[in-house]
Amino acid sequence: PRDVKACRMVTDHSIPRFLLPRGIQHWAGQEIVPASGGEPPVFGEVFLPVEGVGEGGNKRDGTVILYAHGGAFCLCSSGTHRLLLAELSMRCGARVVSIDYRRPPEAPYPAARDDLLRAFLYLTAPAGGGLSPQSVVFAGDSAGGGLCVSALLALRDCGHALPAGAALMSPWVDLTD
C-alpha cells in the first residue's frame, strides 16, 4: 500500500507486543538525546539484562549496543523490535539503546541518519553519556542496518572517533532500484 499512515497502523500499533524474557529491565519512551540547536529530541527504548551486569552495562567490558530498527526507513519502531532487542541485550550481556529515528515522508533523509549520529555523539560526549566511542557498537536490521552504514561513513568523513564495530542484519544498502 502507498498509504504510509495505514501501514504504520499495522506495524507500529497492531503488531503484538511480545512478553519480554525474564531477567531483562526495559524502559520505553526514553529521551535518548535532548533537543538542541533546533533539532528535536531523540526518543527510544533501553534494555538491560538484570543478572551479572556491571555498572558499565556489560558483564565483560561495558559495551553498549546502539540499535537502529528496520522497517523500510518509514515503518516500525523500537516497540516493534522489543523481543529482538531484549534477546540481543541478554545474549550479549550488554545495554541496548534503540532509537526511534525520524521517518519519511515527514522527515526525509538524512534526518534518520542524523538522529543516529546525534545519539552516538551524545552518548560519547562527556556531558552526555560519557562513554568511550570504543565501548559502543552500532547494530541494525534491514533499513536500520543501512542507517548504521551511512552513519559510520559520515563519522569517518567528519573525522570523528568511530564506534568499536557494527553488527548488521541483512542491511538495506543498495537503494539504486
Side-chain angles (χ1 to χ4, degrees):
R2 295 185 184 274
D3 185 351
V4 172
K5 289 182 183 179
C7 289
R8 284 183 184 161
M9 287 302 294
V10 174
T11 61
D12 294 3
H13 303 291
S14 299
I15 290 179
R17 306 293 188 191
F18 296 102
L19 292 175
L20 296 178
R22 295 176 81 183
I24 194 83
Q25 290 180 315
H26 169 246
W27 297 272
Q30 297 296 299
E31 185 177 275
I32 307 299
V33 182
S36 68
E39 293 288 339
V42 177
F43 290 94
E45 301 192 12
V46 178
F47 300 80
L48 183 68
V50 175
E51 296 180 17
V53 177
E55 188 176 24
N58 186 291
K59 294 177 190 174
R60 296 176 303 252
D61 59 8
T63 299
V64 173
I65 299 169
L66 181 57
Y67 197 88
H69 64 80
F73 297 102
C74 62
L75 303 172
C76 296
S77 67
S78 297
T80 60
H81 285 62
R82 278 189 188 141
L83 185 58
L84 169 69
L85 298 168
E87 288 289 339
L88 184 64
S89 178
M90 287 185 57
R91 291 180 187 269
C92 294
R95 179 171 28 144
V96 173
V97 176
S98 178
I99 65 163
D100 289 324
Y101 53 81
R102 292 173 287 166
R103 304 174 296 185
E106 298 85 359
Y109 185 85
R113 184 212 55 197
D114 291 350
D115 287 348
L116 184 57
L117 288 170
R118 288 177 53 221
F120 174 72
L121 294 173
Y122 181 77
L123 290 172
T124 57
L131 300 172
S132 160
Q134 287 298 300
S135 69
V136 178
V137 173
F138 280 10
D141 66 288
S142 190
L147 288 175
C148 289
V149 170
S150 180
L152 288 167
L153 292 171
L155 287 168
R156 180 201 65 189
D157 292 350
C158 291
H160 288 289
L162 296 174
L168 310 176
M169 295 173 267
S170 190
W172 187 11
V173 293
D174 183 359
L175 304 177
T176 58
D177 201 8

